[in-house]
């Protein structure tokens, strides 16, 4: 059968996956920007302005579908490629994995799966509530994301789980960022080291930004 | 030096193989890994057992015939050498050494540690060549080639096609091999005429043969005995993307309307 599922070559699949990944990377920055408004000590007023914009602006509404498509494509191709890659080595080594390579690159499917589980929880907590598929917590409006977030972070177990999942998001992003550029063929002696540095900084700052919110909710509020 | 060897034994391509543990004694620390196996095979034959089958040819690190996955690394613990250039002084006396064949769907085991690497030949046959005879050596500077391009091309052409990249890759991907072959031709004027067709044909063949996809782990680069860089993989991705995007909708027959 070979490695040609869906009539697209391995490189085409990877290029599409990389583009979807870079799009998700850019989305994370927007998401983080809105989330950080939770830190302003105004009872959620600033945050709800952001939510209001994200739920009513027509362009953002269109982007919502593009985003869902981006997630679907990235996850679907990622899983297909992984299965093909497992099939490419039917008999495994007895002693394996002593080659020097970037650590996180070995576990992309695993960190990806963890992020997917988080995504499911996250959708159930927020997105499906907004769509009306899941009913909101008692006494909370279905678009009152501030109350929902406050209630969730009040639960210590959820807050810690959230922080741990953000660490795994960082692991995934650390390899993902520079890998996407390599896949797209954007490699250059001058710019590649710069891309790698930006990727490392991004993969630390973005998860840290997200994780800072439950930390503030636990220790300061 | 004495060693305990755990070697994959498999009678033929269809047979079910298994690891067998052996002792080998009286090995010189100056001997190469393959010489150690020669001595070991002598000891086996003396005992009336079948010798271990393994690939080897030039034994000077230039032919790409030797293989062996030694203690979790293709071509063993040393960097930038083939198994024939690996010396036993890299091991400690009394060490246990696990020796496995390359593991890939596209490289089936023929016997013991010997694998069938015809898949690489098939990829080359798909496009890793220049179709016309380019004649004798041209006059110096008759064809201008920037020094940097010539150097990069030579670096890529150093690939000996041993398959260590496939063996090292967690996805059993042949991307470094194919990228090296695509690169060394695409960088030179003689190779540019067919560059677009070449990269598409070679990648298609690579996929068809069941190699995995590249996930940019860098294991191939770390294990390549010729230290071929994954920059070549980026170049191939670029070449491939350009070739696909720029190709005509229908096949254009030369000379037709």
């Amino acid at each position: 059968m070979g490695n040609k599922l869906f009539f697209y070559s391995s490189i085409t699949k990877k290029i599409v996956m990389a583009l979807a990944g870079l799009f998700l990377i850019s989305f994370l920055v927007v998401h983080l920007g809105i989330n950080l408004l939770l830190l302003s000590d105004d009872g959620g007023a600033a945050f709800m302005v952001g939510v209001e914009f994200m739920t009513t602006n027509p362009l953002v509404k269109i982007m919502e579908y593009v985003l869902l498509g981006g997630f679907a494509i990235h996850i679907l191709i990622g899983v297909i490629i992984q299965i093909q890659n497992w099939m490419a080595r039917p008999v495994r080594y007895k002693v394996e994995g002593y080659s020097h390579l970037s650590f996180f690159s070995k576990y992309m499917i695993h960190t990806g799966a963890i992020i997917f589980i988080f995504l499911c929880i996250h959708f159930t907590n927020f997105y499906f509530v907004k769509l009306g598929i899941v009913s909101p917590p008692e006494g909370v409006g279905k678009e009152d994301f501030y109350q929902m977030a406050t209630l969730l972070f009040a639960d210590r177990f959820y807050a810690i789980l959230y922080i741990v999942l953000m660490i795994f998001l960082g692991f995934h992003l650390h390899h993902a960022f520079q890998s996407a550029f390599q896949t797209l063929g954007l490699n250059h002696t001058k710019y590649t080291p710069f891309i790698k540095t930006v990727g490392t900084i991004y993969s630390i700052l973005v998860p840290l930004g997200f994780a800072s919110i439950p930390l503030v909710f636990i220790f300061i509020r | 030096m004495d060693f305990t060897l755990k070697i994959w034994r498999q009678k033929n391509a269809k047979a079910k193989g298994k690891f067998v543990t052996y002792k080998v004694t009286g090995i010189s620390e100056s001997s190469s890994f393959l010489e150690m196996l020669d001595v070991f095979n002598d000891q086996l034959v003396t005992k009336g057992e079948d010798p271990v089958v393994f690939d080897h040819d030039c034994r000077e690190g230039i032919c790409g015939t030797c293989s062996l996955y030694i203690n979790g690394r293709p071509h063993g613990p040393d960097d930038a050498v083939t198994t024939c250039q690996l010396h036993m002084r890299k091991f400690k006396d009394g060490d246990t050494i696990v020796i496995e064949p390359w593991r890939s769907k596209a490289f089936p085991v023929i016997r013991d540690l010997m694998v069938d690497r015809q898949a690489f030949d098939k990829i080359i046959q798909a496009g890793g060549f220049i179709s016309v005879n380019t004649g004798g050596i041209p006059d110096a500077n008759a064809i201008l080639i920037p020094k940097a391009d010539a150097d990069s091309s030579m670096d890529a052409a150093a690939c000996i096609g041993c398959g260590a990249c496939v063996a090292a890759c967690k996805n059993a991907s042949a991307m470094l091999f194919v990228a090296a072959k695509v690169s060394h031709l695409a960088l030179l004027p003689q190779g540019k005429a067919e560059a677009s067709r070449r990269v598409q044909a070679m990648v298609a063949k690579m996929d068809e043969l069941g190699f995995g996809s590249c996930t940019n782990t860098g294991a191939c680069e770390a294990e390549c005995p010729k230290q071929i860089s994954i920059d070549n993989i980026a170049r191939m991705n670029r070449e491939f993307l350009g070739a696909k995007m720029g190709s005509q909708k229908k096949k254009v027959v030369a000379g037709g309307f």
Side-chain angles (χ1 to χ4, degrees):
Chain A
M1 184 189 76
N3 187 358
K4 223 178 150 108
L5 209 60
F6 292 164
F7 308 105
Y8 290 108
S9 80
S10 58
I11 298 184
T12 307
K13 285 202 290 275
K14 277 161 41 57
I15 286 171
V16 173
M17 190 179 168
L19 289 172
L22 285 175
F23 171 65
L24 297 178
I25 280 173
S26 68
F27 157 73
L28 274 184
V29 178
V30 177
H31 195 327
L32 176 63
I34 307 266
N35 277 23
L36 286 176
L37 294 173
L38 281 166
L39 294 179
S40 106
D41 206 0
D42 56 4
F47 177 69
M48 288 313 288
V49 171
V51 172
E52 171 84 16
F53 175 77
M54 293 304 280
T55 48
T56 52
N57 184 290
L59 195 66
V60 177
K61 278 183 156 172
I62 296 167
M63 286 309 284
E64 196 175 296
Y65 295 104
V66 178
L67 179 65
L68 289 174
F71 271 118
I73 288 170
H74 188 76
I75 294 166
L76 190 69
I77 300 180
V79 170
I80 290 171
I81 289 179
Q82 184 59 63
I83 291 169
Q84 287 177 333
N85 287 350
W86 280 326
M87 280 166 33
R89 177 162 293 143
V91 183
R92 305 197 69 81
Y93 291 113
K94 184 182 172 77
V95 183
E96 86 182 295
Y98 283 92
S99 304
H100 302 295
L101 46 82
S102 61
F103 179 76
F104 297 127
S105 69
K106 275 164 77 174
Y107 303 107
M108 292 305 274
I109 190 70
H110 310 96
T111 49
I114 290 168
I115 295 165
F116 179 71
I117 293 167
F118 171 74
L119 204 63
C120 294
I121 299 172
H122 198 59
F123 269 39
T124 316
N125 287 338
F126 295 97
Y127 190 62
F128 291 158
V129 174
K130 193 196 96 171
L131 294 182
I133 301 168
V134 176
S135 53
E138 229 176 286
V140 180
K142 69 177 191 146
E143 286 191 2
D144 193 352
F145 291 156
Y146 181 77
Q147 278 304 321
M148 289 180 216
T150 311
L151 282 172
L152 281 171
F153 287 147
D155 179 356
R156 288 290 160 92
F157 174 75
Y158 178 85
I160 290 165
L161 181 76
Y162 184 92
I163 293 164
V164 171
L165 288 167
M166 284 308 122
I167 295 171
F168 282 102
L169 175 67
F171 292 166
H172 195 75
L173 290 171
H174 185 269
H175 177 66
F177 194 94
Q178 53 90 19
S179 179
F181 286 90
Q182 166 83 1
T183 297
L184 293 171
L186 299 173
N187 157 290
H188 194 277
T189 46
K190 263 198 281 186
Y191 308 117
T192 300
F194 173 71
I195 289 169
K196 286 188 176 171
T197 310
V198 171
T200 305
I201 293 169
Y202 178 95
S203 68
I204 294 168
L205 281 189
V206 169
L208 196 68
F210 280 113
S212 71
I213 299 159
L215 286 174
V216 167
F217 273 66
I218 293 172
F219 292 110
I220 299 173
R221 298 229 179 122
Chain B
M1 298 174 92
D2 302 335
F3 300 101
T4 302
L5 304 177
K6 285 189 175 156
I7 300 179
W8 180 260
R9 299 304 305 261
Q10 185 173 337
K11 275 250 177 279
N12 54 54
K14 296 247 167 67
K16 200 170 178 290
K18 63 172 195 301
F19 281 96
V20 180
T21 308
Y22 300 97
K23 294 273 181 203
V24 61
T25 52
I27 301 295
S28 156
E29 63 168 24
S30 317
S31 68
S32 78
F33 199 85
L34 297 187
E35 284 161 351
M36 181 277 289
L37 285 177
D38 292 337
V39 172
F40 167 64
N41 271 341
D42 265 354
Q43 296 177 0
L44 272 186
V45 170
T46 313
K47 281 193 279 180
E49 290 181 45
D50 275 347
V52 174
V53 174
F54 60 94
D55 269 318
H56 60 102
D57 189 23
C58 76
R59 299 212 178 194
E60 54 187 12
I62 56 170
C63 76
T65 307
C66 59
S67 55
L68 306 183
Y69 197 82
I70 303 158
N71 285 348
R73 291 184 65 187
H75 296 300
D78 209 355
D79 287 330
V81 294
T82 50
T83 301
C84 61
Q85 302 279 289
L86 172 68
H87 289 91
M88 295 316 291
R89 56 177 167 268
K90 290 283 168 187
F91 297 88
K92 285 202 255 339
D93 192 21
D95 270 2
T96 297
I97 306 172
V98 182
I99 313 171
E100 304 175 66
W102 283 176
R103 294 291 191 196
S104 161
K105 188 177 153 199
F107 289 164
V109 174
I110 300 170
R111 183 167 181 174
D112 295 340
L113 301 171
M114 184 187 264
V115 297
D116 180 352
R117 280 172 283 184
Q118 280 183 63
F120 272 8
D121 299 335
K122 287 175 188 161
I123 293 172
I124 296 293
Q125 282 159 8
F129 50 81
I130 291 167
S131 298
V132 294
N133 191 341
T134 51
I137 301 164
D139 287 340
N141 299 330
I143 305 170
L144 295 177
I145 303 169
K147 176 78 166 73
D149 288 356
D151 287 349
S152 300
S153 176
M154 272 306 286
D155 287 347
C159 170
I160 52 176
C162 66
C165 45
V166 177
C169 177
K170 75 176 181 67
N171 311 320
S173 169
M175 284 284 278
L176 190 66
F177 167 76
V178 183
K181 299 303 175 191
V182 162
S183 287
H184 88 259
L185 292 174
L187 283 162
L188 298 180
Q190 294 91 334
K192 280 205 171 103
E194 294 172 288
S196 163
R197 191 193 61 79
R198 177 184 306 116
V199 67
Q200 295 184 65
M202 290 178 80
V203 168
K205 184 53 86 178
M206 171 186 84
D207 287 345
E208 184 197 314
L209 293 167
F211 289 105
S213 304
C214 176
T215 54
N216 305 324
T217 67
C220 53
E221 179 183 61
E223 295 301 349
C224 176
K226 298 296 159 188
Q227 297 183 297
I228 293 180
S229 160
I230 56 170
D231 291 355
N232 290 298
I233 295 181
R235 183 182 293 106
M236 177 163 78
N237 290 338
R238 212 156 54 224
E239 287 268 329
F240 183 85
L241 187 59
K244 280 282 177 203
M245 306 255 297
S247 63
Q248 300 288 340
K249 190 164 184 191
K250 284 183 186 143
K251 277 183 186 150
V252 177
V253 180
F257 285 103

